[in-house]
Amino acid sequence: MADVRVFGTALDAASATADEIAAAVKAKPDLVLGVATGATVVPVYRRLVAAHHAGLSFAGVRCFSLDEYVGLPAMHGSSYRAEMRAQFYNPVGLPPSQCFAPDGMADDPLAEAARYEAAIARAGGVDLQLLGIGVNGHIGFNEPPADFNQGVHVTDLASTTLVANRRFFQPSEMQPTRAITMGVRTILSARKLLLIATGLGKRDAIAAALRGPVSPACPASSLQMHSNALVILDADAASGL
Ligand code: F6R
């Protein structure tokens, strides 16, 4: 059962999440950190950047992105690689050689998924995996119904996810409909999971993930099978528990 901590505001939840990551980096300076993107984690990275300016070193940390859109070049502002660079890697001085992500422009996305899974294994696996949650209960881009036995794979995005993420693209732009994502099996193989959810929009997904049955219908319910999962919520996201 996950350890669940509830904070009054989204900012307090983000600060607590950043504090967990900072403590993990202090305890293990060569931490392998799994990173998530999306609106929820923006204040988490902001707080980690502040911790860096106050003296926290990320020099030995290696980061692995959960997922990336297929068909978006790394330079595209809405690619997850670009987001991670802008919000976290550049401000804390992490060089590209320590920042890993699936290549959404690979000629063969299936081969790229296999390459990425092998890169995670070569790094010794993920020590701490940061996660957000979709309104439909997805983690990474494991959309319901999720196959809990999948490693890194190519997936079609759910219509709810496409609608939720439309805001990150220009009206005239083609929005990617596929992604390469760590699978539930990959995510659960991290030594510790740290999921943050904030806002009323996540209330039902959180209730299903933490209080519902472990089921492919709610991919985040797979966290119940992990022995070291911490869930950090604001009061709104926790209001269905
Ligand atoms: C992003 C990711 C997704 C997001 C989720 C929540 O790397 O893996 O699972 O964490 O869609 O996104 P926000 O925070 O934008 O609601």
Side-chain angles (χ1 to χ4, degrees), residues 80-129:
Y80 285 166
R81 287 160 291 178
E83 268 190 43
M84 286 309 308
R85 266 199 313 274
Q87 291 171 18
F88 185 49
Y89 300 153
N90 288 349
V92 303
L94 267 172
S97 59
Q98 289 168 227
C99 306
F100 301 85
D103 179 0
M105 293 301 282
D107 289 338
D108 181 348
L110 287 181
E112 175 59 13
R115 183 203 65 79
Y116 193 57
E117 181 90 48
I120 296 168
R122 249 197 328 276
V126 171
D127 291 310
L128 177 62
Q129 177 65 57

Side-chain angles (χ1 to χ4, degrees), residues 36-40 66-67 80 132-134 138-141 167-168 202:
T37 37
T40 313
L66 266 174
D67 42 21
Y80 285 166
I133 184 171
H138 76 206
I139 46 173
F141 277 138
R167 66 190 193 278
F168 299 119
K202 301 292 170 68

